[in-house]
Amino acid sequence: MQYSPAAEPASPAVDRRLLVSYDNYAAAQRAVDTLSDAGFPVENSAIIGSDLRLEETVTGRLTNGRAALTGLISGAVFGLIVGMFLGLFTSTTTSFFGLVLWSILWGAIAGAAFGFVGHAFTGGTRDFSSRSSIVAGRYDVLVAATMLDQAQALLQGGVQPADTVVVQRPPSAGPATPAVTEPVTPPTAVSGDTAPQEDLRTDEERAEDSLDRDVRDREIRDREIRDEEARDEAGLSRGRRM
């Protein structure tokens, strides 16, 4: 018979609200414990860690001898457990202790051998021992929305530990609202400051306009010459009459 998670009744979703945030798990645990001691219904509370990161703490240098010693201890403990379990089926006390001692001895030898060989195969690429743990940068304590005011009153009335640091929770990202921008009206051109417009005429049109200007200039010069000649003739005629 296979286990089906869907067969269990789904727990109703609870609307939880942020009560307080801390920078360490112990402080968040003490906050929930304070609420529990005050009779607050903590069954709908939660501690949520955010900004998770992996921390590896180096505990010391690791050599072949240290690896063998660590394996020896682990093997001896394993041999002790196995020897005590098998000793339950013996009939005398002497055989019981003898079996336990032999199990410890062979477990220590096997553990030391495996530890030495295992570290030797690494080729010196990891000559240190360490402990790894996953920690969070912020721990949020959430309670039911209907009990938020009561929980805040209980926490404010309690004594806050000296090593507790309350972390300000960053604002949650909600739906982005489009920014309302006012229509930009183009600046009106001031008289005298207008930029020259681009000439969009073709080369033929420009040549025709240039020819027309040359003809008009020639006509104007011819008219001026005729006018000057006419004035000169008029002056000569007046001089003869006098």
Side-chain angles (χ1 to χ4, degrees):
M1 180 178 181
Q2 297 182 351
Y3 171 74
S4 177
E8 292 185 355
S11 58
V14 180
D15 183 15
R16 296 189 179 96
R17 300 298 175 87
L18 176 65
L19 176 61
V20 66
S21 297
Y22 298 102
D23 66 337
N24 59 87
Y25 177 77
Q29 182 180 353
R30 284 195 296 267
V32 178
D33 184 67
T34 301
L35 296 176
S36 178
D37 294 341
F40 182 83
V42 294
E43 57 271 10
N44 291 327
S45 304
I47 299 177
I48 299 177
S50 304
D51 302 333
L52 300 180
R53 65 182 185 273
L54 175 65
E55 289 188 359
E56 185 175 4
T57 304
V58 178
T59 57
R61 187 168 181 265
L62 184 62
T63 61
N64 290 334
R66 281 180 171 268
L69 179 61
T70 303
L72 184 145
I73 296 173
S74 301
V77 173
F78 180 76
L80 173 63
I81 296 173
V82 173
M84 293 180 65
F85 175 76
L86 296 177
L88 297 176
F89 302 98
T90 59
S91 57
T92 62
T93 305
T94 305
S95 58
F96 174 82
F97 284 106
L99 182 59
V100 170
L101 291 177
W102 275 106
S103 299
I104 294 174
L105 177 61
W106 284 108
I109 294 174
F114 278 111
F116 181 88
V117 173
H119 183 263
F121 278 149
T122 62
T125 58
R126 187 180 175 86
D127 289 339
F128 64 91
S129 57
S130 63
R131 294 193 308 267
S132 300
S133 60
I134 297 177
V135 297
R138 187 181 73 253
Y139 294 91
D140 299 334
V141 180
L142 307 180
V143 296
T146 56
M147 309 295 292
L148 180 61
D149 295 336
Q150 180 183 354
Q152 289 176 346
L154 292 175
L155 279 186
Q156 292 174 359
V159 179
Q160 187 176 12
D163 60 343
T164 299
V165 179
V166 180
V167 180
Q168 296 293 333
R169 187 184 187 190
S172 59
T177 57
V180 180
T181 56
E182 297 181 356
V184 180
T185 57
T188 57
V190 182
S191 177
D193 295 338
T194 57
Q197 297 181 354
E198 184 179 358
D199 192 359
L200 301 179
R201 296 175 300 173
T202 61
D203 294 339
E204 295 180 357
E205 293 177 349
R206 294 194 190 96
E208 292 178 358
D209 291 344
S210 177
L211 181 61
D212 292 340
R213 285 195 299 269
D214 293 341
V215 172
R216 286 195 298 269
D217 293 341
R218 191 179 298 110
E219 291 177 353
I220 292 173
R221 285 196 300 270
D222 292 343
R223 190 180 301 113
E224 291 177 352
I225 292 172
R226 287 194 298 270
D227 292 341
E228 290 180 359
E229 291 177 352
R231 286 195 297 268
D232 293 341
E233 291 177 358
L236 290 175
S237 60
R238 284 197 298 272
R240 291 193 190 99
R241 285 195 299 269
M242 293 178 59

